[in-house]
């Protein structure tokens, strides 16, 4: 009798143990900031796509945006940026991260983030992000402390003066549970 009850409970719990929660990126803004002694520049893309899958004890997220989708308001500068980061050879910026399942409560969450850009893969450990939930949507925002050196990009120059090495990327994303 106890064996049958245990077996029945095990079979009833099996679909829950293997259930997946999926998320799709429904809205995003990715912005890099470039600083030069003469001017500051922000380039922004709203064309990122992404997917998240939560299973067992972790949630894996993948976000990708075309390099050429970043615009700064100056088409010559944007073209030079694509050339500098070898956008023809490496046309996508790809970001991967893993969060615990269930995803932590609203407020500060910490994630290890992997960024593939300009032919390089860089790991940023334990980055603080802000998370808020509304219904079946999750909003996540934060900043990745990227540098030209991280991605082996020669810093572009203007009037023979190179930009600062730091090119932080602000991330603002809304995910919807499917």
């Amino acid at each position: 009798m106890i064996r049958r009850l245990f077996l029945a409970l095990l079979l009833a719990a099996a679909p829950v143990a293997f259930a997946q929660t999926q998320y799709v990126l429904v809205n995003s803004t990715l912005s890099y900031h470039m600083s030069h002694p003469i001017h500051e520049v922000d380039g922004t893309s709203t064309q990122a796509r992404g997917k998240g899958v939560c299973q067992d004890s972790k949630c894996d997220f993948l976000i990708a945006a075309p390099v050429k989708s970043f615009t700064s308001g100056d088409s010559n500068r944007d073209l030079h940026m694509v050339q500098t980061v070898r956008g023809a050879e490496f046309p996508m910026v790809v970001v991967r991260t893993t969060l615990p399942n269930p995803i932590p409560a609203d407020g500060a969450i910490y994630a290890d983030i992997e960024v593939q850009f300009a032919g390089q893969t860089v790991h940023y450990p334990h980055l603080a992000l802000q998370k808020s939930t509304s219904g079946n949507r999750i909003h996540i925002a934060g900043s990745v402390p990227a540098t030209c050196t991280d991605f082996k990009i020669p810093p572009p120059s203007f009037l023979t003066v190179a930009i600062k090495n730091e090119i932080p990327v602000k991330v603002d994303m809304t995910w919807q549970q499917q």
Side-chain angles (χ1 to χ4, degrees):
M1 176 74 170
I2 293 176
R3 276 179 128 185
R4 286 184 189 164
L5 180 60
F6 178 74
L7 185 57
L9 287 173
L10 184 62
L11 290 174
V16 174
F18 297 104
Q20 284 187 353
T21 303
Q22 295 192 9
Y23 292 90
V24 65
L25 185 61
V26 293
N27 193 6
S28 69
T29 302
L30 306 174
S31 301
Y32 71 85
H33 181 77
M34 183 183 73
S35 183
H36 185 272
I38 295 177
H39 63 278
E40 306 283 318
V41 174
D42 291 301
T44 302
S45 173
T46 57
Q47 295 183 22
R49 300 290 179 255
K51 181 178 180 179
V53 177
C54 298
Q55 189 171 331
D56 299 328
S57 63
K58 67 179 185 166
C59 296
D60 294 312
F61 287 87
L62 172 72
I63 304 108
V67 171
K68 67 181 182 181
S69 70
F70 287 84
T71 59
S72 68
D74 180 325
S75 60
N76 287 332
R77 179 174 40 234
D78 296 338
L79 178 59
H80 187 249
M81 183 274 295
V82 171
Q83 291 170 338
T84 300
V85 302
R86 301 185 326 266
E89 186 178 356
F90 306 104
M92 301 296 285
V93 177
V94 179
V95 179
R96 290 180 173 84
T97 189
T98 299
L99 296 173
N101 187 21
I103 297 173
D106 289 356
I109 60 173
Y110 296 89
D112 294 339
I113 295 177
E114 174 188 281
V115 179
Q116 292 176 322
F117 176 56
Q120 302 297 315
T121 300
V122 178
H123 300 273
Y124 296 97
H126 205 66
L127 287 183
L129 304 170
Q130 288 296 315
K131 175 192 169 263
S132 60
T133 306
S134 178
N136 66 346
R137 289 191 172 202
I138 295 174
H139 179 254
I140 296 177
S143 185
V144 178
T147 66
C148 291
T149 305
D150 290 345
F151 297 98
K152 299 181 179 160
I153 298 168
S157 61
F158 179 67
L159 299 175
T160 70
V161 178
I163 66 167
K164 288 186 179 179
N165 188 42
E166 296 79 16
I167 47 170
V169 178
K170 289 183 183 176
V171 177
D172 191 322
M173 303 176 291
T174 302
W175 296 84
Q176 182 169 311
Q177 184 176 340
Q178 298 294 293

